[in-house]
Amino acid sequence: MGSAAPSPSSFDTSATIPLWLEGKPVTTAESFDIISPLTEKVLYKAAAASEKDALAAVDAAAAAQEAWAATKPSFRRDLFLRAADELVRRKDELWHYCSTETGSTEPYFAFDFSDALESLRSCAGLIHTASVGQTPPVGEEGRSAMLVPEPYGVVVSIAPWNAPCILGLRSFLGPLAMGNTVVLKGPEKAPACYWALADIFHKAGLPPGCLNTIIHKPEDGPKITTALIAAPTVKKINFTGSTAVGSVIASLAGKHLKPTLMELGGKAPAIVCEDADLNLAALNCTLGAFLYSGQICMSTERILVNKKVVNDFKEVLKATIDQIFPDKSGLVLVDKAPVSKVKKLLDDAVDKGAKIFYGDTKDTCQLSTAMRPIVLEDVKESMDLYYTESFGPTVSLFVVEDDEEAIRIANDTEYGLASAVFTKDLQRGIKIAKKIETGAVHINAMSVHDETNLPHGGAKKSGFGRFNGLEGLREWVRWKTITWKDD
């Protein structure tokens, strides 16, 4: 690492965003530009970590781990609650960073921030419960046993840019709560957001070395990730991001026999039954598909509508999109690359016979980082969009004969993260929900749903393991069995 650097003040566009090492913000020999998707102009520079910097962060976490693991659950609880208070005080600052760095909108930031705050407070309240051991009975007379939860040690947390408050926070919250120390590899698109999260915890009293951050140039990702996972003192990895990158990380971790927790991509379906409240369904399908420009792993990508109500639903859906997303200047994506990817998927589908129900694939927006919502019909298996996660403001509408066909199409994907079902018959909704191969099903609500007390994760290639709640905290301990002969 380089020299100690002053912490950038709120909204300071002249500072280089530093990394965190041993409780101090530091700069590095190299830096890179952070470009806002809202203006397509440089915001500021961010310190760029090298492999040496990454390994220094691992060493700092390893040096701090034993003392941190020895702290009482009440100490960690109180620290987390102080961090929650600091998070509230810095809400406006985080909003500035999230909006300028990642193009977050006010409604989406409100969701991101409130979820993060609730997660922090909820986790604080669960630390005691998650830390309790067990004394199960054993078969041999005259012997006793206990199960003791122990932290893994040093954890590498790799977090994304698309919900920096909650996804950044949860990547290190569970590990810290259970006595691990963390190297947080944040996204190069949101360095100020992640600097602020680490700063909040240090201001709350987190001991030096317990949380160290790494941000690097985009091209340095493979070698730094490889070095972090290979480091002998790193014992577990969590990753939130694309399935393609998750596969690489899982392979690297498997090579070193290290466990992982992963939340990956999605192709979330929304099933609209013939007895659904069509206004409710249209509203939640619109939000589920286009909230934050569709850049959410739980975004609705397929709407499966019973043929008996499809014509009425389409009219309501069109009016709802007009009402919720009226801005003709488009929805801003994080940069030019995802716009290009989505347009390529749309062009391929249209060339192969798909029809545009809503929007225009030829629309040009003032910003090259923006595009208008698109709804396609007649999407077939031969089209790239049928199976590929678009991660942008587009959704495919399918007409189905019955629930069984809807379930078949919903499951015809390698993903399984989130889904939605709309029906006035709760028993019917639960019956459908049980047949969808996914980590979560939300009846009469949008597919984008995350609550801190509910375990969150996927099935199939959407990942494994769970964040949130007691299940999420217990991801970060292993159980030691101790037996003894009674006197």
Side-chain angles (χ1 to χ4, degrees):
M1 290 277 181
S3 58
S7 301
S9 59
S10 302
F11 317 144
D12 182 358
T13 58
S14 64
T16 296
I17 305 300
L19 311 176
W20 282 93
L21 178 68
E22 296 181 323
K24 298 177 182 178
V26 297
T27 55
T28 55
E30 293 188 82
S31 63
F32 62 101
D33 291 339
I34 305 302
I35 299 172
S36 173
L38 296 177
T39 63
E40 301 185 86
K41 296 180 180 179
V42 175
L43 288 168
Y44 33 66
K45 292 184 178 294
S50 64
E51 288 181 71
K52 182 178 178 181
D53 297 327
L55 295 178
V58 172
D59 290 342
Q65 198 275 321
E66 185 175 353
W68 176 246
T71 60
K72 300 295 185 183
S74 58
F75 178 85
R76 284 173 253 153
R77 176 201 64 200
D78 293 346
L79 191 153
F80 280 23
L81 291 175
R82 291 194 299 272
D85 292 340
E86 180 69 10
L87 188 74
V88 171
R89 283 192 289 271
R90 295 173 66 170
K91 181 177 181 180
D92 289 345
E93 178 187 353
L94 284 165
W95 159 238
H96 175 82
Y97 294 148
C98 290
S99 61
T100 57
E101 288 188 334
T102 69
S104 184
T105 62
E106 287 193 58
Y108 185 65
F109 174 76
F111 163 78
D112 184 21
F113 181 85
S114 63
D115 208 14
L117 179 59
E118 181 60 27
S119 179
L120 183 45
R121 289 172 173 166
S122 175
C123 185
L126 289 172
I127 291 175
H128 271 97
T129 302
S131 301
V132 172
Q134 301 176 31
T135 55
V138 295
E140 183 182 347
E141 187 174 350
R143 292 194 70 83
S144 297
M146 63 179 178
L147 304 180
V148 180
E150 294 185 335
Y152 281 89
V154 176
V155 168
V156 168
S157 298
I158 306 175
W161 51 265
N162 61 321
C165 293
I166 181 55
L167 298 186
L169 189 66
R170 78 172 192 189
S171 71
F172 63 83
L173 193 58
L176 284 179
M178 302 310 293
N180 304 274
T181 52
V182 178
V183 176
L184 171 61
K185 193 177 90 69
E188 64 271 13
K189 297 182 186 302
C193 296
Y194 279 73
W195 165 83
L197 290 176
D199 187 57
I200 284 168
F201 272 76
H202 286 106
K203 280 186 166 53
L206 186 68
C210 291
L211 177 61
N212 308 276
T213 66
I214 294 296
I215 303 283
H216 54 70
K217 294 179 180 178
E219 61 268 27
D220 291 338
K223 65 180 181 181
I224 289 178
T225 301
T226 299
L228 286 171
I229 294 174
T233 52
V234 169
K235 301 302 181 184
K236 189 169 181 176
I237 301 98
N238 76 65
F239 171 76
T240 300
S242 72
T243 295
V245 176
S247 177
V248 173
I249 291 171
S251 297
L252 290 170
K255 179 182 178 181
H256 298 282
L257 295 177
K258 296 181 181 182
T260 60
L261 164 60
M262 296 198 166
E263 187 210 315
L264 307 176
K267 192 75 177 174
I271 296 175
V272 181
C273 301
E274 73 272 14
D275 66 341
D277 180 330
L278 298 187
N279 289 299
L280 177 70
L283 174 61
N284 282 277
C285 287
T286 296
L287 292 173
F290 304 124
L291 184 67
Y292 195 36
S293 309
Q295 298 173 120
I296 307 171
C297 51
M298 298 172 283
S299 291
T300 301
E301 296 238 352
R302 293 173 171 175
I303 305 174
L304 312 168
V305 189
N306 190 285
K307 68 175 185 178
K308 295 176 182 177
V309 295
V310 68
N311 291 332
D312 291 339
F313 176 79
K314 286 164 65 174
E315 292 306 309
V316 177
L317 179 66
K318 183 176 180 180
T320 303
I321 300 172
D322 285 339
Q323 180 182 1
I324 303 298
F325 297 103
D327 191 348
K328 298 302 180 184
S329 60
L331 306 177
V332 176
L333 282 76
V334 72
D335 59 33
K336 298 176 184 178
V339 175
S340 177
K341 172 195 170 183
V342 174
K343 288 185 174 180
K344 184 177 179 181
L345 289 171
L346 292 171
D347 288 344
D348 172 77
V350 171
D351 288 346
K352 293 176 180 177
K355 297 181 177 61
I356 300 172
F357 165 68
Y358 183 94
D360 186 350
T361 58
K362 305 302 181 184
D363 269 353
T364 56
C365 299
Q366 185 175 357
L367 291 171
S368 62
T369 53
M371 63 181 297
R372 287 282 298 150
I374 299 287
V375 182
L376 288 187
E377 294 182 284
D378 298 329
V379 174
K380 307 297 183 184
E381 291 90 334
S382 60
M383 304 170 186
D384 294 340
L385 183 61
Y386 184 87
Y387 288 113
T388 303
E389 178 186 26
S390 72
F391 213 65
T394 179
V395 66
S396 303
L397 191 150
F398 297 82
V399 182
V400 296
E401 292 284 334
D402 51 29
D403 294 350
E404 292 306 313
E405 184 180 10
I407 292 165
R408 180 187 64 76
I409 297 173
N411 288 334
D412 189 18
T413 171
E414 64 183 6
Y415 299 109
L417 185 60
S419 55
V421 177
F422 296 92
T423 174
K424 293 177 182 177
D425 183 342
L426 180 58
Q427 288 186 331
R428 180 182 187 179
I430 293 174
K431 182 179 178 181
I432 293 171
K434 289 181 176 180
K435 293 182 179 180
I436 301 176
E437 300 167 351
T438 187
V441 183
H442 307 292
I443 299 173
N444 293 327
M446 65 174 164
S447 59
V448 179
H449 186 104
D450 188 21
E451 286 192 46
T452 58
N453 61 324
L454 299 177
H456 180 72
K460 299 190 287 190
K461 290 188 178 180
S462 286
F464 36 78
R466 292 295 181 264
F467 290 98
N468 296 351
L470 279 174
E471 293 83 356
L473 290 182
R474 286 171 176 157
E475 287 277 355
W476 300 108
V477 292
R478 55 187 172 222
W479 292 92
K480 175 176 284 183
T481 298
I482 301 174
T483 70
W484 66 90
K485 187 172 178 61
D486 299 330
D487 292 333

